[in-house]
Amino acid sequence: MTDESWAGWYRDREGSEAVVLTTDGRRLRLRIRGVDFEGASFDTLTPLAGTPPEHGTAVLVEGVLADCVLEWDLPLPVLVAGALRHATLSCLLSLRRAEPNLHLALHLNGAVYESARAESDFAAALASVQRALPDGTRLQTCIACAFSDYLPASGRGLSGALACFREVKDAYRETAGEGDVLELWERRTGFVQEIWSCRAFEARPARGAGTGHRGAFPLENA
C-alpha cells in the first residue's frame, strides 16, 4: 500500500497546531509538537518507540493520546451512477477519556452528507453518511467493500479492526454468516482503516452469500 497524508488540526488545552496524518491503510502516524505518534486506531496512538512526550506536549492516558480533538480532510472515492467521483470527507474526532466522539461530513457535488454529531466509531459514522446519500451513490472505501469484515463476537472499536480478505476473494464471496467468517479468519490479508480504499475494491452485495458476518453495507449486523 502507498502512504497517504491528510492535512488537519490538533487541539488540546495547551492550544492548537496544524498537523499531518499519514497512513498506509493499516497504521496511522502523526507528529504533535515535535513528538511522533503511531497506532492502528485513532484512539491507540502512542509515542513512537515508547518515548513519553515532554510535559505540555500532549495528554496521555495509560500511554495513549487523549483529551484532544483531531480534525482533518481526506479525498474519498464515490461511485455516482456507476461513474467514479472524488469527494472530500471532513472528519472531526474528539478523543475523550470516557469514549471518543466522531462526526463525518462528505462534500460531494456542492452538497454535504453528514453522520450524527457523536458517532462511536468510523463504521457507524460511514454507514450514516451512506444512508444520507442519494440513490445510486455509493462510498468506495474499505467499510463498503465486498471483501471486508469484523471478527465475530468481538467489538469493532473506533477504527482499524476491519479485516481485509482481498487475497481470498472467491472464498469470501461464499461467506454468509459468523461460522463462515471464522473458518476463513486466519486467511485474512490483514487489517485496514474503514476510510481507506484500494484498487481491489468491489461493492458489497446487498444480501445473501458474500455478506459475511457483518451483513450488507450500510445495514450493519456487527
Side-chain angles (χ1 to χ4, degrees):
M1 293 181 176
T2 303
D3 285 2
E4 285 189 9
S5 293
W6 307 323
W9 288 89
Y10 168 86
R11 300 195 301 273
D12 64 12
R13 63 195 180 198
E14 300 295 329
S16 63
E17 69 168 49
V19 294
V20 175
L21 280 158
T22 301
T23 181
D24 60 0
R26 300 176 181 177
R27 303 287 295 178
L28 300 159
R29 300 187 299 279
L30 172 68
R31 171 169 285 194
I32 301 170
R33 298 173 185 141
V35 176
D36 292 316
F37 289 79
E38 184 174 334
S41 175
F42 289 93
D43 58 351
T44 62
L45 292 168
T46 57
L48 200 60
T51 303
E54 296 180 3
H55 178 71
T57 298
V59 176
L60 299 184
V61 176
E62 297 182 353
V64 176
L65 184 67
D67 285 358
C68 64
V69 174
L70 290 171
E71 187 173 2
W72 72 99
D73 291 342
L74 66 140
L76 200 74
V78 177
L79 290 172
V80 181
L84 184 63
R85 298 286 186 269
H86 291 283
T88 298
L89 185 69
S90 296
C91 308
L92 179 62
L93 173 62
S94 175
L95 290 173
R96 305 185 308 171
R97 292 182 188 232
E99 63 178 24
N101 275 346
L102 173 67
H103 174 248
L104 301 180
L106 184 76
H107 301 261
L108 174 66
N109 295 335
V112 181
Y113 305 94
E114 300 182 74
S115 72
R117 286 287 169 180
E119 299 279 10
S120 59
D121 58 61
F122 277 85
L126 287 165
S128 294
V129 170
Q130 178 61 64
R131 292 188 187 101
L133 289 171
D135 291 343
T137 303
R138 303 286 296 178
L139 300 178
Q140 188 173 309
T141 66
C142 288
I143 190 62
C145 182
F147 311 119
S148 63
D149 215 327
Y150 291 103
L151 176 64
S154 175
R156 61 193 180 197
L158 175 63
S159 67
L162 184 65
C164 172
F165 294 92
R166 68 179 181 274
E167 294 178 2
V168 287
K169 293 179 181 178
D170 290 341
Y172 187 82
R173 285 191 178 102
E174 301 301 316
T175 63
E178 179 177 318
D180 290 348
V181 175
L182 285 174
E183 288 182 9
L184 195 60
W185 190 254
E186 295 305 321
R187 298 173 62 190
R188 67 189 182 275
T189 303
F191 293 97
V192 291
Q193 298 294 324
E194 288 79 355
I195 50 178
W196 188 254
S197 182
C198 81
R199 294 179 181 178
F201 176 87
E202 288 185 20
R204 196 167 186 82
R207 62 185 64 83
T211 54
H213 158 60
R214 67 184 180 95
F217 179 81
L219 302 176
E220 300 276 343
N221 293 329

